[in-house]
Amino acid sequence: YLSQQHAYPDGNAGGRPLSNVTVWELGVERPGDFVCTGPKYQYPGHPQNDGVHLSTLGYQLLGEKTGQIFYERTVLGRDWQPLQPTGVERDGRTVVVSFHVPVPPLDWDEVLDPPLIEEWANGRGFELRAGSSWISIESVAIDDQSVVITAAEDLPATGLEVAYALSAQGG
């Protein structure tokens, strides 16, 4: 049972830590051997805001999530995969991201702070970019097990990146 370590850039031109992608890929590619329990961004951080450690409550919540997954897999014998994207389609200014939702329904977290990045203020954590350019999000909506992202401008023909909670609050 593995959880992603953190979401901070690794100093390599703003790249993300390889460990985060590796943990997720292990769970996807070898589901009988590895389980990615998910990210940690949703858990409360350390009171001194060191940017790395969780608070006592954060670690308790992480333990509860791990226990839930252990119960599903080991006690009930069910396969378990985290909330994760399963596909993406685009049409005009719209991007539809489909998800595997382990515990339906897919719903918004109303507690997380909105991003400071103005272009993504309406994205509810979703981000659109092309290279180093941020693309403004007009709206997002949940449609069953998919999220429909509508851009405020035309999307580039190539190089579009869609992310969720990838950027730190400052960019």
Side-chain angles (χ1 to χ4, degrees), residues 2 7 18 29 76 78 87-88 93 95 97 121 131 149 152 156:
L2 308 167
L18 181 59
E29 294 171 7
L76 299 179
R78 299 178 185 157
V88 63
R93 292 184 176 182
V95 178
V97 183
I149 306 166

Side-chain angles (χ1 to χ4, degrees), residues 2-62:
L2 308 167
S3 67
Q4 293 175 316
Q5 298 304 304
H6 54 73
Y8 301 100
D10 65 5
N12 182 10
R16 301 295 153 200
L18 181 59
S19 64
N20 281 357
V21 176
T22 302
V23 165
W24 177 69
E25 286 178 343
L26 281 170
V28 170
E29 294 171 7
R30 297 179 58 187
D33 298 322
F34 297 95
V35 177
C36 175
T37 62
K40 290 189 176 109
Y41 69 84
Q42 70 273 26
Y43 302 124
H46 191 271
Q48 276 75 38
N49 196 22
D50 65 2
V52 177
H53 298 95
L54 300 177
S55 67
T56 303
L57 176 60
Y59 282 115
Q60 178 182 347
L61 294 170
L62 176 63

Side-chain angles (χ1 to χ4, degrees), residues 24 84-100 126-128 145-150 155 160-164:
W24 177 69
Q84 61 190 344
T86 58
V88 63
E89 296 178 15
R90 60 183 280 175
D91 183 23
R93 292 184 176 182
T94 302
V95 178
V96 178
V97 183
S98 302
F99 288 92
H100 166 74
F126 283 90
E127 306 168 9
L128 293 176
Q145 294 193 11
S146 297
V147 172
V148 180
I149 306 166
T150 303
L155 297 171
L160 177 66
E161 295 179 31
V162 180
Y164 181 80

